[in-house]
Amino acid sequence: MNPSIINPYYDRLPGSYLFSTIAKKIAEYESAHKNADIIRLGIGDVTSPLIPEVIDAMHKAVNEMALKQSFRGYGPEQGYDFLREAIVRGEYAPRGIDVASDEIFVSDGSKCDVANIQELFAADVKIAIPDPVYPVCLDSNVMAGRTGSLDQVGLFEGVTYLAANAQNNFQPELPQNPVQLIYLCSPNNPTGTVLTRETLQKFVDYANRNGALILFDGAYNCYIRDDALPHSIFEIEGARTCAIEFRSFSKTAGFTGIRCAYTVIPKDLAKLHSMWNRRQTTKFNGVSYVTQRAAEAIYTEEGWRQTNEVIDGYMATAALIRSELTAAGYTVFGGEHAPYIWWKLPDGEKSFDFFDRLLARCEVVGTPGSGFGPMGEGYFRLTAFGDHERTKIALKRIKERL
Ligand SMILES: Cc1ncc(COP(=O)(O)O)c(C=O)c1O
């Protein structure tokens, strides 16, 4: 094969995907230490089983598939109306947010939606990306050739980075260079911090003033404990003319393995709404009926209660990590409205070095902050998705051995 037929932009990505690098390090440690008892507070995967309401709905849907009269084949590419309507009723209407069911596109994950959405935009649009953030936003644009090369400091040429750190209280400033696509993520992965109403309003006003578009990743919205904080970009005045929102059932309801998410494109953005519809109908064949019935089930009264009970459990673990690390004299951020705790490392310690130290001394695994962008250097991400009792053991080891 002639190498010139290959997309050259993939080679701009540094090394392998963050979590693969980490998995390799853990595997190496385990093969060198046969009796290792590793506690994983690293990868952002849920561990609680699906709630009974969801399981019941899935069983029922499977039984429907077993009968000729209720069997379903291909569903609508945009998602079944029963789910799109349940999302409006369960997520948006209670907060007085104006979103209609035909503005919701059900999918099999926010990861693919966040990555795929960029194909609706011109190759030369300029992007602004929070730093640090979930790597998919940036990497998908690198793959599409929308950035230059990676420089010495770990920044891609041509990308505007929106730094979020302790100095600015994790509220990024507006982009200093002209940009047309702005990614925002709140509650943020990895910092676990939330963008305030004032910050979001500033970005929405900027976008409307400059003809830019905000791509708002709200995968963790259900973890926000404070009703006064914005849960959706569409709570912000003017957002319907400049924003798209991504949400997922992964962290809301433990669907990381089941796969279901949705993207909201307001009809005010008529061109993008119809383009995404075209994109999905051409390239996507919908989420399974059983899965959509499962997702719908979290919005019954009992389903919502059970869902929140699981989230409360994770948040109790987040509170424990926060309080134990703080009591041990460490500085931590996040973890109050998100399942992530952003641990400030001792001055000068590199986050990948800390990963190795934590693994070697405590057999605890977290995620190096630098994997989420250069501003993540000097920080470390712990997650509250692990088993509560195992997390307690991990914290005890950290206090005693680190
Ligand atoms: C910010 C953010 N967005 C999206 C996703 C992916 O969600 P999904 O499982 O729906 O693909 C994640 C998963 O970790 C995430 O952290």
Side-chain angles (χ1 to χ4, degrees):
M1 183 200 69
N2 185 337
S4 70
I5 68 172
I6 297 281
N7 176 347
Y9 303 124
Y10 275 58
D11 285 339
R12 291 190 176 163
L13 290 168
S16 54
Y17 185 60
L18 170 67
F19 293 110
S20 327
T21 312
I22 290 170
K24 204 165 141 242
K25 274 178 180 274
I26 300 171
E28 279 165 12
Y29 183 90
E30 278 176 328
S31 78
H33 303 82
K34 292 289 176 228
N35 297 322
D37 175 27
I38 293 176
I39 304 181
R40 291 160 204 266
L41 304 183
I43 200 158
D45 198 356
V46 292
T47 53
S48 291
L50 296 172
I51 56 166
E53 274 287 287
V54 163
I55 294 294
D56 287 349
M58 292 181 86
H59 282 154
K60 203 165 149 252
V62 168
N63 289 340
E64 285 179 55
M65 294 299 248
L67 300 174
K68 194 169 175 62
Q69 63 271 29
S70 49
F71 167 78
R72 314 256 185 153
Y74 289 126
E77 292 92 343
Q78 303 82 356
Y80 283 103
D81 283 344
F82 64 75
L83 178 57
R84 300 167 96 192
E85 283 158 15
I87 292 168
V88 172
R89 274 198 315 275
E91 303 274 355
Y92 292 105
R95 291 187 65 79
I97 303 169
D98 175 20
V99 164
S101 60
D102 59 357
E103 295 175 323
I104 293 173
F105 293 86
V106 175
S107 76
D108 60 354
S110 279
K111 187 186 212 173
C112 16
D113 285 358
V114 167
N116 290 333
I117 198 83
Q118 49 80 27
E119 70 181 61
L120 303 193
F121 305 101
D124 61 351
V125 294
K126 293 290 175 208
I127 60 167
I129 302 254
D131 179 13
V133 79
Y134 182 56
V136 176
C137 318
L138 178 60
D139 290 2
S140 54
N141 277 288
V142 175
M143 290 166 167
R146 210 167 272 115
T147 71
S149 302
L150 192 62
D151 71 14
Q152 298 277 344
V153 210
L155 300 171
F156 279 95
E157 291 162 13
V159 174
T160 298
Y161 288 83
L162 305 171
N165 49 35
Q167 282 77 39
N168 61 15
N169 212 12
F170 298 93
Q171 305 298 311
E173 297 297 325
L174 287 174
Q176 297 305 310
N177 314 312
V179 294
Q180 294 87 42
L181 275 187
I182 304 168
Y183 288 81
L184 293 177
C185 179
S186 179
N188 178 277
N189 177 9
T191 67
T193 57
V194 179
L195 297 175
T196 63
R197 201 166 287 279
E198 294 69 36
T199 302
L200 289 182
Q201 190 68 63
K202 211 168 62 172
F203 275 90
V204 164
D205 293 345
Y206 171 95
N208 278 325
R209 231 179 14 253
N210 295 286
L213 187 81
I214 295 172
L215 299 170
F216 185 83
D217 185 337
Y220 299 93
N221 72 293
C222 282
Y223 287 80
I224 300 178
R225 307 279 90 184
D226 181 351
D227 265 355
L229 286 168
H231 288 46
S232 162
I233 190 74
F234 298 117
E235 287 178 39
I236 308 300
E237 206 184 321
R240 287 185 57 87
T241 50
C242 68
I244 289 176
E245 177 160 290
F246 305 94
R247 284 193 174 185
S248 172
F249 290 95
S250 282
K251 309 301 160 64
T252 303
F255 275 44
T256 52
I258 297 285
R259 311 302 304 145
C260 196
Y262 55 96
T263 290
V264 182
I265 309 188
K267 279 175 285 181
D268 302 44
L269 297 170
K271 179 70 181 164
L272 291 175
H273 185 277
S274 91
M275 282 172 76
W276 187 247
N277 191 53
R278 180 63 203 250
R279 193 254 170 224
Q280 292 298 80
T281 50
T282 303
K283 297 193 178 183
F284 181 63
N285 247 342
V287 177
S288 81
Y289 174 69
V290 177
T291 299
Q292 293 192 60
R293 281 293 183 202
E296 180 195 24
I298 77 161
Y299 298 117
T300 64
E301 202 181 324
E302 180 56 14
W304 198 239
R305 193 194 61 72
Q306 292 173 1
T307 299
N308 281 289
E309 203 171 85
V310 175
I311 294 175
D312 288 346
Y314 290 137
M315 289 311 286
T317 306
L320 177 78
I321 301 174
R322 263 187 77 89
S323 66
E324 290 294 300
L325 290 182
T326 308
Y330 297 107
T331 304
V332 294
F333 302 93
E336 288 171 308
H337 306 289
Y340 297 124
I341 286 87
W342 196 229
W343 186 354
K344 173 94 184 67
L345 301 180
D347 277 348
E349 184 156 18
K350 296 267 187 233
S351 57
F352 262 98
D353 293 342
F354 183 76
F355 175 93
D356 294 334
R357 186 156 74 97
L358 189 65
L359 180 59
R361 291 207 191 160
C362 308
E363 297 195 334
V364 171
V365 170
T367 313
S370 62
F372 299 97
M375 275 288 151
E377 188 52 282
Y379 290 88
F380 201 72
R381 191 192 74 173
L382 295 184
T383 87
F385 289 125
D387 176 78
H388 193 78
E389 295 308 313
R390 293 278 289 163
T391 305
K392 265 190 197 162
I393 299 171
L395 291 163
K396 187 164 178 283
R397 289 188 198 164
I398 288 169
K399 276 176 147 175
E400 292 171 359
R401 303 187 201 163
L402 198 61

